[in-house]
């Protein structure tokens, strides 16, 4: 697989995590050779969690960048928040979350945050 890149900015501020998953699914479906269903599911989960975090904590403005490398898929979500994601105690009663960033860091081979345009990056 050659390196393939897709930049998918939302059509308007406040698009949903479902929209991001749909764009990621279309990107993954177009790759040759195809990714495994397990890898695709993991990428979709990471996209969903990162975009949900941007919607919840960064004012709803985000953009998605996906890059296919020979050894994995890189996921980057950009948002305008000056604050980096931080772990917090998960709410076991289901009201305030706290599971997303720990989940992303467990699923990712690596994560990186670029200040100024907070850019979590995930590679699988």
């Amino acid at each position: 697989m050659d390196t393939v890149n897709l930049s998918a900015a939302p059509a308007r501020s406040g698009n949903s995590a479902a929209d991001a998953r749909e764009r990621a699914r279309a990107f993954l479906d177009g790759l040759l050779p195809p990714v495994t269903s397990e890898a695709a599911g993991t990428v979709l989960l990471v996209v969903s969690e990162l975009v949900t975090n941007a919607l919840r904590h960064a004012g709803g403005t985000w953009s998605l960048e996906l890059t296919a490398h020979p050894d994995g898929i890189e996921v980057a979500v950009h948002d305008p928040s000056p604050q980096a994601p931080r772990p917090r105690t998960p709410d076991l009663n289901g009201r305030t979350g706290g599971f997303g960033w720990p989940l992303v860091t467990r699923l990712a081979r690596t994560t990186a945050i670029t200040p100024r345009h907070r850019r979590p990056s995930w590679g699988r």
Side-chain angles (χ1 to χ4, degrees), residues 8-120:
R12 64 187 191 283
S13 178
N15 279 356
S16 69
D19 180 52
R21 285 191 305 274
E22 182 179 310
R23 292 170 190 212
R25 169 55 70 193
F27 173 79
L28 295 169
D29 286 348
L31 294 177
L32 291 174
V35 298
T36 66
S37 61
E38 179 183 355
T42 301
V43 168
L44 295 174
L45 180 55
V46 168
V47 165
S48 184
E49 290 298 332
L50 292 176
V51 169
T52 297
N53 283 349
L55 289 167
R56 180 177 279 177
H57 303 292
T61 300
W62 55 270
S63 64
L64 171 66
E65 184 178 344
L66 302 167
T67 306
H69 299 280
D71 63 341
I73 306 296
E74 180 180 347
V75 175
V77 173
H78 309 274
D79 69 48
S81 176
Q83 296 182 332
R86 59 180 169 74
R88 57 189 176 99
T89 303
D91 177 3
L92 300 177
N93 295 319
R95 290 184 292 238
T96 63
F99 295 94
W101 185 244
L103 180 62
V104 168
T105 61
R106 284 187 194 104
L107 291 172
R109 183 182 312 151
T110 61
T111 57
I113 300 166
T114 303
R116 198 173 92 164
H117 296 291
R118 186 179 76 149
R119 181 180 174 170

